[in-house]
Amino acid sequence: MQNDLERHKTKMAKKKAVRDRIMSTKTEERGLIIVHTGPGKGKSSAAFGMIFRCIAHEMPCAVVQFIKGGMNTGERDLIQEKFSDICQFHTMGEGFTWETQDRSRDTEMAQAAWSLGKDLIRDESIRMVLLDEINIAVRYGYVDIDEVVAFLKSEKPDASHVVLTGRNAHADLIELADLVTNMELVKHPFRSGVKAQAGIEF
């Protein structure tokens, strides 16, 4: 038993030394472009986790929702009621495209959301901007991917983070990003007839 404990202690000490060497080389601090994509659940939820971290660190931040409509969500309600002084929240969409069924209107709303998003990103006092479901707007051609990439390359302040969510992120955006997470769907209760529920989906 004692030998097992000693072996474990030695093994962990070696791991710590390796880890410390790796961490000592990570000295740069800068704003990141972060993409959450893929067919699995949790893209926006993970992004809101980052927003709440910013709030906890008293870092001004902002959310622009491209697709989601006027229904109340836990994140929006909490931010608007408790943290509106440090986090702006803008719901610019009118619902999913299969609900609106109006391409012209969807394009108009997405363009307005993108215009606002650009203004928020340009504001150097805002440390993180979440562009929620912008990947959907890009996929359907409501927002031009070349414009998004060019803007992020040329106008994003060095210290600001931008998070872009939604399925089917464009390859050019993935190439540009510093951090990309692809959410994989393994199981979802919707397929078993379970509807969207408060605290899980909204």
Side-chain angles (χ1 to χ4, degrees), residues 115-201:
S115 179
L116 175 60
K118 289 189 290 185
D119 288 343
L120 294 168
I121 292 167
R122 289 186 184 109
D123 184 343
E124 295 190 15
S125 70
I126 299 175
R127 296 296 309 283
M128 177 179 282
V129 177
L130 167 55
L131 304 177
D132 191 34
E133 306 285 8
I134 188 175
N135 293 339
I136 306 295
V138 168
R139 183 185 180 199
Y140 283 108
Y142 305 153
V143 177
D144 181 68
I145 183 60
D146 292 336
E147 182 184 347
V148 172
V149 169
F151 175 83
L152 292 174
K153 282 181 176 179
S154 64
E155 296 198 49
K156 183 187 82 65
D158 291 340
S160 300
H161 307 296
V162 179
V163 186
L164 308 96
T165 71
R167 293 184 179 212
N168 302 114
H170 196 282
D172 291 351
L173 183 59
I174 290 173
E175 183 178 352
L176 174 67
D178 301 287
L179 172 61
V180 179
T181 300
N182 189 70
M183 304 291 188
E184 180 182 356
L185 178 63
V186 178
K187 292 178 73 173
H188 198 297
F190 184 77
R191 292 180 172 178
S192 301
V194 180
K195 68 179 183 178
Q197 300 179 83
I200 305 296
E201 276 83 17

Side-chain angles (χ1 to χ4, degrees), residues 5-57:
L5 292 174
E6 288 300 321
R7 280 196 296 270
H8 178 75
K9 185 176 180 180
T10 300
K11 183 179 179 180
M12 291 303 108
K14 288 179 179 178
K15 282 192 171 186
K16 183 180 186 310
V18 171
R19 182 71 176 168
D20 288 347
R21 284 196 298 272
I22 293 171
M23 295 303 291
S24 69
T25 67
K26 312 303 179 187
T27 57
E28 183 181 0
E29 184 174 340
R30 60 181 172 83
L32 302 176
I33 297 172
I34 300 166
V35 174
H36 292 172
T37 192
K41 176 176 166 43
K43 297 176 286 292
S44 295
S45 298
F48 276 110
M50 293 181 178
I51 288 290
F52 283 115
R53 285 179 187 152
C54 287
I55 291 171
H57 288 294

